[in-house]
Each structure stands twice: as structure tokens, then as C-alpha cells.
């Protein structure tokens, strides 16, 4: 566990706290999910609600990867958020953990293929793209997307990427710009 | 059962049923999980809640396949409907009977997870109620200055991260001042054992699942 050495206790707590904070903020979007799902169900498009909002749920991992810049931070950020969600009010059980690992690893993959060097729009876009691909691959099996008609599959994929890019890319960038301007990250030993 | 092996078993079940299309297997898992929960003293009210909460997403998945699916639409619709319930009920056998402390202990003692990860997450987990309160405070503070902070506002996340940085350093210092040393060997007051019995239950559980998936033609 060589990668574990570069992590300090406060990094672990920080990344877990961010995951929980974001979870607490996302709770406010649950009503939106319910309303959208209910409205789209008669047309057989309920998945669209999930696709539109999935970027929000992948934010802890994407932000942690971009902000902490440690190997494994995206994966761990999303996984820890999923662990806490599983115990705190999450009813999806073990499936939460599987999704969490895949979402986190998907975000990590973007930084892996850019060799942990591109903490700019290239890295963010790559991360949004890999998160979309990895999570979509899982949904092909888990949510039965494989059996959907092709046009719907393409629609879902495009909407999911837009959601990932808007929340995991643009919003992450806006948040980290604020952090840069306030110089808080320099005062911690993590950056 | 050892919490880590219990979680492993449930993860493997969730993975495997994601790749199968057997309605009766999903229903059997729901019934088994419900039976287990009742034996563990879960209230009927909680079970009822587990039935109601996933209903909307389950109907959503059902209608998506039924209207826009290809191939055997009806079968796939019911597979996905019951799969959601299988996830929820098998998951509940873990979350309703095991807490995060037991899981952290097992991962640390049986699987050599570095203690900073186990305790770091526990430290954060115990702040959940405080965090929910803090989000309300941040929102209220924004409203006082006429700023409506919503889930798309960068400022809301920015402020949450500021608080996280602050708290994480305070907590780490507090733990260090109580004698916690990162990466140092530790002794344990709460002992978690990994017994042969745990491995047997895992093996038996997985074998039964394979019977349900491959052998019994009950689809």
C-alpha cells in the first residue's frame, strides 16, 4: 500500500467531510429527482432524471481528484461518500458501494490517462468523459440499458456526459477557482 | 458474522444479480433477506418502509423497459423492478444490523486497512448531524445577505469546503493530542475475529446463489 503513505489523517478526514457535506447539499435535490422521475415515467423516460442529476452525485470524486491531486483521491473521495451514504439514510445498500467505486474510479481514470499532470480543462474534460463511460458501462448491466432501443441509449449517454461536464467539470472548476483565490489550500499541507 | 465478510457476500450478490435476468431469483433474495431481518428483530414498519421507498424508481425502470425496451420487454421490465428490491433488501440486511464502527474495526483488524483510513472516516461520520446543521447555517447566512445558495451555487460548496478544511485539521490535531499516531502499530480494545464459521457462511451463501443462477430452472 505505497499510495497510502502519501495520505495523512487530516486528508482522509477532509475528503470524508467533503463527501458528507456534498451529500447533505444533494439531499435538497431528491425532490427534483422524484418529481422528474414521476413526470417522465408515463413516457418510459424515467432514466432521464437519473442521467440529468448523476453529475451531482459524482461531484465528490471529481472534485477530490481535482483539488487534492493525490493518487487515488478521486476514487477514495467518491467511495467514502458512498460508505457514509450507505449507513446514513441510503437504502440502496451494497449497490451504493459498487456505484461509488465505479464513479470514483471513472473520475480517477481521467487523471490517470492525463498522467496526473493536467489539472486544467483537459484533465476535467477527460475525467468527465471517463466517468460517463465507466458508469454507463455499469448501467448497461445494472439498469438494463443494454436492452433499450438505440436512440434512447444515445440520448442517455449524451445527457449523462453533459451532466458530468456541467457539475463535475464546470462547477468543480468554479469551486476550486474560489479556493485558489482565497489561498486556503496553500495553508494546508495537502497542496 | 464478521462484518467485512458479510459485506463481501452482499457485494458479490449485488454484482451477480446485476448480470442475471431471473425474476424468481430476485424475489427469493428479497424473501430471504426479509426473513433474516425479521429474525434479527426488525420491525414490520421498517420492512414496509423498505417496500415503499424504492417504488418510484422501480416503476420508472419498469416503464422504461416496457415502453422503450427491445427484445423481451415484459421480462426485462419485471427483472429490473424486482432487482431494485433485491438490492434494497439484501443491502438492508447489512445496514440495519451492522454499524460503521463494526465495519471499520473489521477492516482494520482483519484486512490491515491503515488505521488512519478507518478512524478518519469514523471521525467524519460522527459529524453527520453537525454537517447537516452547518449546511443550514451557510444557507441562512447567505439569505441574510440576499444570496440564495442552491445546489448549483459554487459559493455553497466553497463554504462547505472551508468548513471541512477547518474541521479536518481540528479533528486530526485532537486525535493526535489524545495519543493517536499515524502508521504506528496499535492494540485493540474491541477485538473482531475472523472465524472459520464466517468463511463457511460466505462459501455456502455464494454456492446457494450459484444454484439459483445456474442450476435450478425456475425462471
Amino acid at each position: 500500500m505505497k499510495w497510502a503513505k502519501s495520505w495523512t489523517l487530516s486528508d482522509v478526514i477532509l475528503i470524508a467531510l467533503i463527501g458528507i457535506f456534498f451529500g447533505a447539499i444533494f439531499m435538497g435535490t431528491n425532490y427534483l429527482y422524484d418529481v422528474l422521475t414521476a413526470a417522465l415515467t408515463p413516457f418510459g423516460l424515467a432514466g432521464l432524471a437519473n442521467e440529468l442529476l448523476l453529475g451531482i452525485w459524482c461531484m465528490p470524486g471529481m472534485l477530490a481528484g481535482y483539488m487534492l491531486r493525490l493518487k487515488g483521491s478521486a476514487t477514495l473521495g467518491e467511495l467514502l461518500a458512498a460508505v457514509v451514504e450507505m449507513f446514513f439514510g441510503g437504502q440502496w445498500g451494497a449497490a451504493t458501494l459498487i456505484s461509488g467505486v465505479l464513479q470514483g474510479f471513472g473520475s480517477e481514470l481521467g487523471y490517470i490517462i492525463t498522467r496526473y499532470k493536467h489539472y486544467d480543462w483537459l484533465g476535467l474534460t477527460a475525467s468527465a468523459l471517463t466517468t460517463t463511460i465507466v458508469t454507463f458501462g455499469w448501467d448497461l448491466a445494472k439498469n438494463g440499458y443494454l436492452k433499450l432501443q438505440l436512440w434512447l441509449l444515445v440520448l442517455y449517454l449524451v445527457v449523462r456526459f453533459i451532466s458530468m461536464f456541467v457539475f463535475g467539470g464546470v462547477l468543480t472548476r468554479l469551486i476550486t477557482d474560489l479556493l485558489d483565490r482565497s489561498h486556503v489550500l496553500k495553508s494546508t499541507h495537502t497542496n | 458474522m464478521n462484518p467485512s465478510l458479510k459485506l463481501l457476500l452482499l457485494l458479490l450478490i449485488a454484482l451477480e444479480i446485476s448480470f442475471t435476468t431471473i425474476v424468481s431469483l430476485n424475489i427469493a433474495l428479497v424473501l430471504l433477506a426479509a426473513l433474516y431481518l425479521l429474525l434479527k428483530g426488525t420491525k414490520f414498519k421498517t420492512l414496509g418502509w423498505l417496500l415503499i421507498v424504492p417504488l418510484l424508481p422501480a416503476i420508472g425502470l419498469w416503464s422504461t423497459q416496457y415502453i422503450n425496451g427491445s427484445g423481451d420487454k415484459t421480462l426485462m421490465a419485471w427483472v429490473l423492478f424486482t432487482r431494485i428490491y433485491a438490492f434494497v433488501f439484501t443491502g438492508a440486511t447489512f445496514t440495519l444490523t451492522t454499524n460503521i464502527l463494526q465495519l471499520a474495526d473489521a477492516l482494520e483488524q482483519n484486512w490491515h486497512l491503515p488505521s488512519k483510513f478507518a478512524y478518519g472516516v469514523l471521525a467524519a461520520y460522527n459529524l453527520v448531524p453537525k454537517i447537516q446543521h452547518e449546511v443550514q447555517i451557510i444557507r441562512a447566512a447567505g439569505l441574510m445577505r440576499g444570496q440564495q445558495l442552491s445546489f448549483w451555487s459554487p459559493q455553497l460548496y466553497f463554504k462547505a469546503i472551508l468548513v471541512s478544511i477547518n474541521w479536518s485539521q481540528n479533528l486530526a490535531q485532537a486525535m493526535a493530542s489524545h495519543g493517536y499516531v499515524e502508521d504506528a502499530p496499535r492494540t485493540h480494545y474491541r477485538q473482531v475475529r475472523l472465524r472459520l464459521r464466517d468463511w463457511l457462511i460466505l462459501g455456502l451463501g455464494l454456492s446457494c446463489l450459484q444454484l439459483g443462477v445456474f442450476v435450478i430452472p425456475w425462471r
Side-chain angles (χ1 to χ4, degrees):
Chain A
M1 288 227 208
K2 216 171 147 193
W3 62 271
K5 290 268 181 261
S6 55
W7 285 80
T8 63
L9 176 67
S10 65
D11 292 332
V12 177
I13 302 178
L14 173 61
I15 214 167
L17 281 177
I18 290 177
I20 303 171
F21 256 112
F22 280 30
I25 295 171
F26 305 155
M27 288 296 175
T29 65
N30 281 355
Y31 76 95
L32 199 63
Y33 175 86
D34 290 342
V35 170
L36 275 174
T37 304
L40 291 165
T41 293
F43 308 101
L45 295 170
L48 215 49
N50 185 42
E51 303 304 322
L52 278 168
L53 297 173
L54 196 69
I56 305 182
W57 291 100
C58 294
M59 263 177 75
M62 295 174 90
L63 186 113
Y66 190 77
M67 192 182 101
L68 277 185
R69 306 185 181 187
L70 287 167
K71 273 182 190 150
S73 55
T75 315
L76 205 61
E78 192 69 41
L79 174 63
L80 296 189
V83 171
V84 174
E85 195 204 325
M86 180 173 80
F87 282 102
F88 218 91
Q91 64 283 67
W92 307 114
T96 310
L97 281 189
I98 302 176
S99 307
V101 170
L102 288 169
Q103 289 164 1
F105 181 72
S107 316
E108 188 87 33
L109 205 57
Y111 294 107
I112 292 175
I113 57 171
T114 54
R115 297 175 170 204
Y116 293 102
K117 278 182 185 148
H118 284 274
Y119 289 99
D120 47 27
W121 282 111
L122 181 70
L124 281 174
T125 314
S127 182
L129 195 64
T130 51
T131 312
T132 308
I133 294 169
V134 172
T135 55
F136 207 79
W138 169 234
D139 276 335
L140 284 179
K142 185 198 147 209
N143 282 337
Y145 281 11
L146 203 58
K147 302 277 180 178
L148 291 179
Q149 291 174 30
L150 191 64
W151 66 269
L152 192 59
L153 213 55
V154 175
L155 176 71
Y156 277 6
L157 188 65
V158 171
V159 172
R160 180 173 298 199
F161 175 71
I162 293 171
S163 172
M164 292 291 177
F165 187 75
V166 168
F167 290 106
V170 178
L171 194 53
T172 295
R173 179 73 184 220
L174 289 172
I175 296 166
T176 46
D177 279 352
L178 284 173
L179 289 170
D180 281 344
R181 270 165 52 198
S182 63
H183 302 288
V184 280
L185 289 177
K186 284 190 187 124
S187 69
T188 73
H189 57 278
T190 53
N191 207 334
Chain B
M1 190 179 177
N2 182 289
S4 59
L5 286 197
K6 195 183 200 178
L7 183 62
L8 180 66
L9 175 62
L10 294 172
L11 279 173
L12 291 172
I13 291 175
L15 259 180
E16 186 153 357
I17 59 170
S18 298
F19 293 95
T20 59
T21 51
I22 311 169
V23 174
S24 48
L25 176 67
N26 291 344
I27 293 174
L29 282 170
V30 170
L31 291 177
L32 275 177
L35 190 67
Y36 176 83
L37 284 171
L38 284 176
L39 288 177
K40 286 277 175 183
T42 311
K43 292 194 182 91
F44 276 102
K45 202 176 136 193
T46 316
L47 287 185
W49 185 79
L50 287 178
L51 277 174
I52 294 167
V53 171
L55 193 59
L56 185 65
I59 294 175
L61 279 171
W62 184 90
S63 87
T64 307
Q65 289 292 336
Y66 197 75
I67 298 171
N68 291 315
S70 59
D72 194 343
K73 294 177 185 182
T74 324
L75 172 76
M76 207 54 203
W78 285 112
V79 165
L80 289 173
F81 187 88
T82 52
R83 186 183 289 168
I84 283 262
Y85 278 98
F87 281 150
V88 170
F89 274 79
T90 54
T93 61
F94 186 79
T95 49
L96 293 182
T97 60
T98 316
N99 62 40
I100 196 168
L101 183 65
Q102 294 165 320
L103 178 65
D105 280 341
L107 289 176
E108 190 206 349
Q109 294 173 33
N110 306 138
W111 299 98
H112 306 291
L113 177 77
S115 64
K116 58 189 169 193
F117 291 100
Y119 296 122
V121 177
L122 278 178
Y125 180 77
N126 287 318
L127 286 181
V128 169
K130 222 181 146 193
I131 287 171
Q132 290 168 330
H133 185 58
E134 189 69 25
V135 172
Q136 290 173 344
I137 292 178
I138 295 174
R139 283 212 164 107
L143 282 177
M144 282 182 206
R145 291 196 309 280
Q147 271 185 326
Q148 181 95 37
L149 295 177
S150 189
F151 68 89
W152 59 76
S153 318
Q155 286 88 355
L156 178 57
Y157 296 96
F158 168 65
K159 289 180 181 179
I161 293 171
L162 287 188
V163 177
S164 303
I165 292 174
N166 198 359
W167 287 1
S168 71
Q169 288 172 351
N170 287 351
L171 273 170
Q173 277 172 17
M175 285 164 73
S177 67
H178 276 254
Y180 176 80
V181 183
E182 285 175 45
D183 302 319
R186 297 179 62 80
T187 53
H188 300 284
Y189 173 65
R190 295 180 304 272
Q191 304 271 344
V192 184
R193 294 224 162 70
L194 197 52
R195 296 191 177 89
L196 180 66
R197 202 183 62 185
D198 298 319
W199 287 106
L200 287 178
I201 298 176
L202 176 70
L204 199 69
L206 287 178
S207 311
C208 287
L209 182 65
Q210 304 322 314
L211 281 182
V213 174
F214 296 109
V215 180
I216 304 174
W218 54 356
R219 51 198 83 189

